[in-house]
Amino acid sequence: MGLVENLAGACDVRPAGDHDQVDGMTPSVVASPASTEETSALLRACSEQDLAVVVRGHGSKLTWGRAPERVDVVLDTTRMAELVEHSRGDLIATAGAGMPLARLQSLLSEGGHQLVVDDLALGRGRDAGPEGVGSTLGGALATNMSGPRRMWTGSMRDLVIGVRFVRADGTIARAGGKVVKNVAGYDLSKLLTGSYGTLAVVTEVTVRLHPLPEASWSVHTRVGAERLPAVLAELVRSQLAPRAVEVVSGPELGGDAVVSALLEGTRQGVEARVGTLTALLGELGGGPVDASDNGDGTPRTSAVEADVSPVLPDMGEAGRPTLVRTTARLSGIPELVATATAHGFTMSGSAGSGVLYASSPEGRGVAGTVGAVDALRATSVRLGGSTVVLDAVPEVKAAVDSWGSVPGLDLMRRVKQEFDPGRILAPGRYVGGM
Ligand SMILES: Cc1cc2nc3c(=O)[nH]c(=O)nc-3n(C[C@H](O)[C@H](O)[C@@H](O)COP(=O)(O)OP(=O)(O)OC[C@H]3O[C@@H](n4cnc5c(N)ncnc54)[C@H](O)[C@@H]3O)c2cc1C
């Protein structure tokens, strides 16, 4: 009996094709459970037969982390895409893990709410169409995605309140609560956030929401390297309370950086603050300052406008760059930016939370890329942060230390052993070969 027939009792299963590859490996089948219960039946069968399972939403970040050692089954979450609950009074929502973030935002906006997660993978992913590309809710959770507005609300880990998930052996469990004030001792929702699908399959996510602002404006200016420290320091501590302070730099900008701030709130208040900030940036940066009304769409960031975002480029044309997440304490950001651009990286990220993304073009040569990553890592570690290689072509992945030095590895190994003793969930993708 083939694997399709073997697993067909659990859920919808079809043979896999080349376009279902995970980092160069072709699985045998793609299984698409439509519910937590079907996910449970599938995982029980996979566990009993020692079949390796890789979870996939829209696949926009499927190659992040190390390549798994083996993959038999791709577990596609996109049939679990319903909005289960939008509790307007409590400012929370529960949705299936396969819900596209873009669709979730549009549903939430009908109630005047938003999930404050910037979809860094917008425009990437498997299916074309306005709602089919970009992250799913589960994918954003699994990678703890965060963008410019991390400065305001934190990352996905700070916004998740509860999850429903299925363990590798098929056991269904729930963690966290549905109300913000619910306090759990050991928060499994936060543990699963950022675990890259290696601990359990999350099927439903409850998140904390924020009201949509009445007005949203972005203010941008181009700043020379020598003025960047003063501009960022002033912006981050500003009484104007920006919700994001973003910095973008790269070879295209010839050593300069584009700095942008996001101001949101009541229309009258925001317009006054835009005026003050425009004047302030003009004095500090010395160049022209642009202010634009974001309307009621997703806030435009300088990265999008300058078209140099490391995370956003069309992968078809740009190839598969080496994508790195690098962090530093806030005062170290100008030096981190200078080091990255000196080593040929294009970078953008939140100068207000210290988390930036950098990319090095494909075709640069493995040795040069590895040297650049090592230099960036040394600087970020000295500045109180870390550098992780999220994505790269297989030859670069084989040559770099993706995760860097990770404290608490023994504890993480014990957690993996507890959740997935048979190592069937994306084995090898995570730190320390977990
Ligand atoms: C100045 C500064 C300000 C920050 N502000 C915020 C903030 O406001 N809100 C916020 O949520 N975070 C903030 N961070 C980021 C965070 O504290 C860590 O520095 C970040 O590197 C971990 O990333 P992550 O939480 O996005 O996890 P992910 O990138 O999703 O990492 C996945 C998992 O991998 C592990 N991991 C990956 N790489 C490493 C590594 N090199 N070392 C140890 N473990 C690793 C982690 O356990 C994590 O669970 C800030 C960091 C800095 C330096």
Side-chain angles (χ1 to χ4, degrees):
M1 188 164 65
L3 208 49
V4 172
E5 295 76 29
N6 186 349
L7 297 174
C11 65
D12 191 47
V13 182
R14 64 162 172 84
D18 281 351
H19 61 292
D20 296 307
Q21 281 193 353
V22 181
D23 231 353
M25 268 177 291
T26 307
S28 300
V29 298
V30 175
S32 306
S35 65
T36 304
E37 289 68 27
E38 286 192 5
T39 306
S40 164
L42 179 75
L43 285 183
R44 191 172 306 114
C46 291
S47 182
E48 282 164 6
Q49 297 168 61
D50 190 31
L51 299 171
V53 180
V54 171
V55 188
R56 180 179 79 196
H58 281 151
S60 62
K61 299 176 290 306
L62 199 59
T63 52
W64 286 19
R66 307 294 297 180
E69 287 158 19
R70 57 193 183 104
V71 46
D72 301 302
V73 178
V74 161
L75 191 163
D76 186 307
T77 62
T78 51
R79 290 178 71 207
M80 296 186 278
E82 72 291 11
L83 179 62
V84 179
E85 186 184 356
H86 177 186
S87 175
R88 298 185 185 197
D90 287 332
L91 278 166
I92 59 166
T94 301
M99 165 72 83
L101 273 187
R103 175 145 173 262
L104 180 63
Q105 300 291 20
S106 103
L107 292 170
L108 295 174
S109 69
E110 290 165 18
H113 295 155
Q114 61 176 328
L115 170 63
V116 185
V117 169
D118 300 297
D119 189 353
L120 300 179
L122 196 67
R124 290 182 56 190
R126 292 174 53 77
D127 314 306
E131 292 187 346
V133 291
S135 279
T136 56
L137 183 58
L141 178 126
T143 51
N144 190 26
M145 202 168 66
S146 73
R149 291 182 293 170
R150 181 177 187 143
M151 177 183 175
W152 175 35
T153 55
S155 66
M156 190 71 193
R157 187 174 282 126
D158 301 289
L159 296 167
V160 61
I161 302 168
V163 288
R164 196 162 179 225
F165 63 97
V166 184
R167 295 171 58 130
D169 65 1
T171 312
I172 297 174
R174 207 183 263 288
K178 278 200 175 175
V179 287
V180 177
K181 55 181 177 266
N182 181 303
V183 180
Y186 188 51
D187 197 335
L188 288 181
S189 334
K190 302 217 187 305
L191 182 71
L192 295 180
T193 308
S195 65
Y196 285 82
T198 59
L199 292 181
V201 179
V202 174
T203 56
E204 222 174 78
V205 185
T206 301
V207 285
R208 182 179 160 208
L209 307 177
H210 287 77
L212 280 170
E214 194 182 305
S216 169
W217 280 70
S218 297
V219 182
H220 316 291
T221 191
R222 188 165 167 157
V223 183
E226 70 294 345
R227 291 185 189 230
L228 190 59
V231 170
L232 290 184
E234 187 65 32
L235 270 180
V236 168
R237 66 162 185 255
S238 167
Q239 300 292 316
L240 298 168
R243 287 189 171 169
V245 173
E246 204 196 4
V247 61
V248 173
S249 191
E252 300 88 338
L253 293 170
D256 290 352
V258 174
V259 172
S260 70
L262 178 71
L263 295 174
E264 292 184 330
T266 61
R267 184 156 299 284
Q268 205 182 6
V270 169
E271 283 171 4
R273 285 187 288 147
V274 167
T276 312
L277 185 59
T278 302
L280 179 72
L281 279 178
E283 273 170 41
L284 287 170
V289 182
D290 289 331
S292 51
D293 187 342
N294 297 317
D296 53 9
T298 304
R300 283 179 296 164
T301 66
S302 55
V304 175
E305 305 217 334
D307 201 22
V308 294
S309 165
V311 190
L312 289 166
D314 176 353
M315 305 305 266
E317 279 171 30
R320 191 169 155 197
T322 299
L323 175 65
V324 165
R325 202 198 55 216
T326 183
T327 65
R329 59 175 164 268
L330 299 191
S331 60
I333 293 302
E335 188 181 342
L336 195 63
V337 170
T339 305
T341 48
H343 285 87
F345 284 104
T346 293
M347 78 187 311
S348 77
S350 172
S353 67
V355 181
L356 292 95
Y357 297 84
S359 75
S360 175
E362 186 178 351
R364 180 182 185 181
V366 174
T369 305
V370 173
V373 168
D374 287 346
L376 190 57
R377 176 169 281 149
T379 304
S380 68
V381 168
R382 182 166 50 73
L383 296 169
S386 65
T387 293
V388 170
V389 177
L390 295 174
D391 198 6
V393 292
E395 306 81 66
V396 171
K397 276 195 187 181
V400 290
D401 176 1
S402 295
W403 298 97
S405 132
V406 177
L409 203 51
D410 284 348
L411 177 62
M412 288 160 85
R413 288 217 163 91
R414 290 204 294 276
V415 171
K416 173 73 175 175
Q417 174 66 22
E418 172 68 28
F419 273 78
D420 180 20
R423 297 185 77 247
I424 64 159
L425 293 173
R429 181 186 269 171
Y430 204 40
V431 285
M434 267 178 277

